[in-house]
Amino acid sequence: MVGTKQRKEEFVSGLAGTSHVEVFVLSQALVLLMCHANAARLHVLGERWAPARGVVHFLLETCSVMLPLLGMVTGLVPAEAAVCVLVALYAASVLLPLARFSYGATGVVTEAQLSGATNLCARRKVYVSLFRGGLMLYTCLCILAVDFNAFPRRFAKAETYGAGLMDVGVGGIIVASGLVSVGRRGAGGGGGDTGTIHPAVAAAAAAAAEPASLRLARGLRAALPCLVLGCVRLVSVKLLGYQEHVGEYGAHWNFFATIAAVTLLAHAAPVPPRSLAAAAAGVAALHQLALSAGLGAWALSPERGPGLLAANKEGIVSVPGYWALYLAGGALAHAMHVTAQPVARTLAHVARGERGSRGALWVWLALWAAVDAALWAVALALEALVEARSRRSCNAAFVAWSAALSLSLLLPLAAAQAAWTLSWRAPHAGSSADGEAGFTGFTRMRLQDPGDGEAAQQQQQQQQQVAERCAPWLPAAASRSMLAVFLAANVLTGLVNMSIDTLAADDWTARAVVGSYMVAVAGAVAALDAWGVVIRI
């Protein structure tokens, strides 16, 4: 008789994924739901009924984002129809206000109204945080839902070639880590010029000049938390007899180990921001050459010889591909930051009553939509001419596909953050909630040229606070503690699997269990944010 452990392992084995279109639709649902929930808070409920980071805000985002996603991935809500409705709502709440601002309105623009647009080239970009945190929450949902029959098998991770919804999370988390790698090296502060030498460029040059031993030591220190968590997960899985899919990463390897390896490489071999795109393409190309020369066939074969290398061949062979994906994330972050600076400067001129095009933001969005289209073309060409995308080996097609899909999610969030602040109003002067009373005068004030001193820093801080206050709370909070959230979700997933037979649960039981679990994960995110815990990936 087949045991429960073996049945659960077979349940997630030998899968082929689903179509490009279905994965794209389900991924966009996350972004559209976040935008819809936030628009409801800003334009329907308002600060009075849904103050930022309050109980109503928590319930709104949990019930309007996480639970509808749960319905889509368990077949309760038709994803295609839901996304069509959400696209219409997005057009009304984001695109229409942006169009009015760019081509219709001619009145005074306040400093606060521009906070969303100027944040596109800030050090802490709201849309990047939303992408990172939203993707992590979606991944947390799927890692438990996949253990139930209600979750279609085509959404789970593909065995060798192809991709399901869960493959988005694997590549997306690595891209998300790369997106903030430039910022950690000092990628600019506010919305203006950052000097003749970009701070990130100078920091990367300084890192490259350090002795290799020092860079390696720093990399080991940075990778240590994930390495420890990977070891803890390995030991706990073996001791508890928990189900494990050996063909996913190997007998001893796991995703924590992959993150640790990529972190080590990123520190040991620093790349200047201007060279990140070339480095990503070069690493992906060399890795693909090795895969096509026979390394890929060995890594994907079911045979597993003696020794640690053969036992963990999938995880080890895929590391260069994930490093290329990490570099691609850094390249996107740097290029989007640099190209957004002229947009911020132009809108600053508009706010001062000077000459400038209000449509500069649309030009920036169109530029990056064209870049995204090019990435999609590269991904499809690699699939057709070289090799189908494979998360297991992280080949070139998977790298290009993950980068293209990630950019497809970043762009609507970038447009939304610019739109959210256009109609925002601060609390009344008598309000003391969150100490935001001082924003009333800030909201009504026309943008002045503060120069480069203390006034400029204060202005940038105020713009950052307004942009963050107008954005969804839980995804941004999850971005600040991705590692802790992922760890908490893994622990809760293990507890659920050891408590009930997930394969025997009917669809409504599955939805109730996963829904309760997601409320607990969201509660953990809120608690970590309240305690000020910051543990990024």
Side-chain angles (χ1 to χ4, degrees):
M1 183 175 179
V2 178
T4 302
K5 179 177 181 291
Q6 185 177 344
R7 286 192 299 116
K8 289 187 175 183
E9 290 172 351
E10 292 173 351
F11 191 57
V12 294
S13 301
L15 305 177
T18 186
S19 66
H20 281 285
V21 173
E22 190 165 33
V23 171
F24 183 83
V25 167
L26 287 166
S27 301
Q28 289 294 335
L30 167 67
V31 169
L32 295 171
L33 283 168
M34 286 196 296
C35 293
H36 170 59
N38 200 55
R41 181 179 75 89
L42 294 175
H43 304 305
V44 179
L45 296 176
E47 286 281 334
R48 179 180 179 184
W49 298 106
R53 296 171 176 80
V55 174
V56 175
H57 195 178
F58 174 85
L59 293 175
L60 176 66
E61 293 195 356
T62 303
C63 297
S64 299
V65 180
M66 292 296 103
L67 297 187
L69 284 176
L70 173 60
M72 291 184 197
V73 301
T74 58
L76 182 63
V77 178
E80 292 82 359
V83 167
C84 287
V85 173
L86 290 170
V87 167
L89 292 172
Y90 179 86
S93 63
V94 173
L95 300 182
L96 185 58
L98 282 180
R100 284 176 178 167
F101 165 75
S102 301
Y103 304 111
T106 57
V108 173
V109 183
T110 67
E111 183 179 353
Q113 287 175 313
L114 286 176
S115 298
T118 55
N119 180 264
L120 294 174
C121 59
R123 182 184 176 92
R124 298 196 315 273
K125 300 170 180 63
V126 170
Y127 74 97
V128 171
S129 296
L130 297 179
F131 168 79
R132 284 164 49 85
L135 188 66
M136 176 53 71
L137 290 173
Y138 207 174
T139 301
C140 292
L141 188 157
C142 291
I143 62 174
L144 177 59
V146 71
D147 294 323
F148 292 89
N149 281 296
F151 190 87
R153 294 300 87 196
R154 67 183 186 277
F155 293 169
K157 294 175 184 175
E159 182 76 12
T160 52
Y161 295 107
L165 175 62
M166 292 188 69
D167 292 305
V168 176
V170 177
I173 287 174
I174 299 297
V175 172
S177 183
L179 284 170
V180 297
S181 63
V182 175
R184 288 171 185 165
R185 293 196 292 261
D193 292 322
T194 55
T196 56
I197 300 179
H198 197 284
V201 176
E210 293 176 343
S213 58
L214 181 57
R215 298 200 304 268
L216 185 61
R218 284 184 177 174
L220 287 171
R221 186 166 62 248
L224 186 60
C226 284
L227 194 59
V228 170
L229 290 175
C231 292
V232 170
R233 189 185 190 282
L234 171 64
V235 172
S236 60
V237 164
K238 300 297 184 183
L239 290 178
L240 297 173
Y242 193 75
Q243 69 264 18
E244 55 179 333
H245 184 195
V246 174
E248 188 175 350
Y249 293 105
H252 311 101
W253 202 272
N254 53 51
F255 192 49
F256 287 113
T258 295
I259 297 172
V262 170
T263 302
L264 177 60
L265 285 169
H267 283 77
V271 179
R274 292 170 183 166
S275 303
L276 283 167
V283 172
L286 291 174
H287 184 231
Q288 183 60 56
L289 284 174
L291 293 174
S292 300
L295 187 63
W298 174 69
L300 298 179
S301 66
E303 290 77 18
R304 199 173 299 276
L308 285 175
L309 179 62
N312 300 284
K313 56 182 181 176
E314 297 90 348
I316 295 171
V317 166
S318 65
V319 166
Y322 285 114
W323 184 30
L325 198 50
Y326 176 91
L327 295 172
L332 285 176
H334 176 66
M336 295 177 82
H337 175 89
V338 171
T339 54
Q341 287 180 337
V343 176
R345 287 196 296 269
T346 299
L347 294 179
H349 290 313
V350 171
R352 297 190 200 107
E354 302 170 3
R355 250 184 157 173
S357 172
R358 292 190 176 211
L361 178 62
W362 287 97
V363 175
W364 184 82
L365 291 171
L367 167 67
W368 282 101
V371 173
D372 193 32
L375 283 174
W376 278 109
V378 170
L380 294 175
L382 286 170
E383 280 212 81
L385 303 175
V386 181
E387 186 181 36
R389 66 193 189 279
S390 172
R391 170 202 47 80
R392 198 166 164 188
S393 64
C394 197
N395 59 5
F398 183 81
V399 170
W401 174 74
S402 296
L405 185 56
S406 296
L407 186 53
S408 298
L409 301 179
L410 284 164
L411 286 179
L413 288 172
Q417 81 163 50
W420 288 331
T421 59
L422 287 177
S423 58
W424 183 76
R425 294 294 181 269
H428 295 295
S431 171
S432 61
D434 290 341
E436 299 294 339
F439 278 126
T440 303
F442 171 61
T443 305
R444 297 172 182 168
M445 181 177 63
R446 289 188 63 185
L447 185 64
Q448 304 297 321
D449 186 359
D452 297 322
E454 185 177 341
Q457 294 181 356
Q458 183 179 4
Q459 185 182 89
Q460 291 164 8
Q461 290 173 0
Q462 289 178 320
Q463 288 178 317
Q464 183 74 32
Q465 289 169 1
V466 171
E468 290 177 353
R469 188 178 181 88
C470 289
W473 169 31
L474 294 179
S479 174
R480 291 188 286 272
S481 300
M482 285 181 68
L483 189 57
V485 173
F486 191 48
L487 176 61
N490 273 271
V491 171
L492 289 174
T493 298
L495 291 175
V496 170
N497 270 277
M498 290 187 294
S499 302
I500 64 173
D501 184 359
T502 55
L503 298 183
D506 59 46
D507 289 358
W508 281 106
T509 300
R511 291 173 189 131
V513 171
V514 179
S516 301
Y517 153 87
M518 281 310 301
V519 171
V521 171
V525 170
L528 289 169
D529 186 55
W531 296 333
V533 176
V534 178
I535 311 176
R536 294 186 178 93
I537 293 179

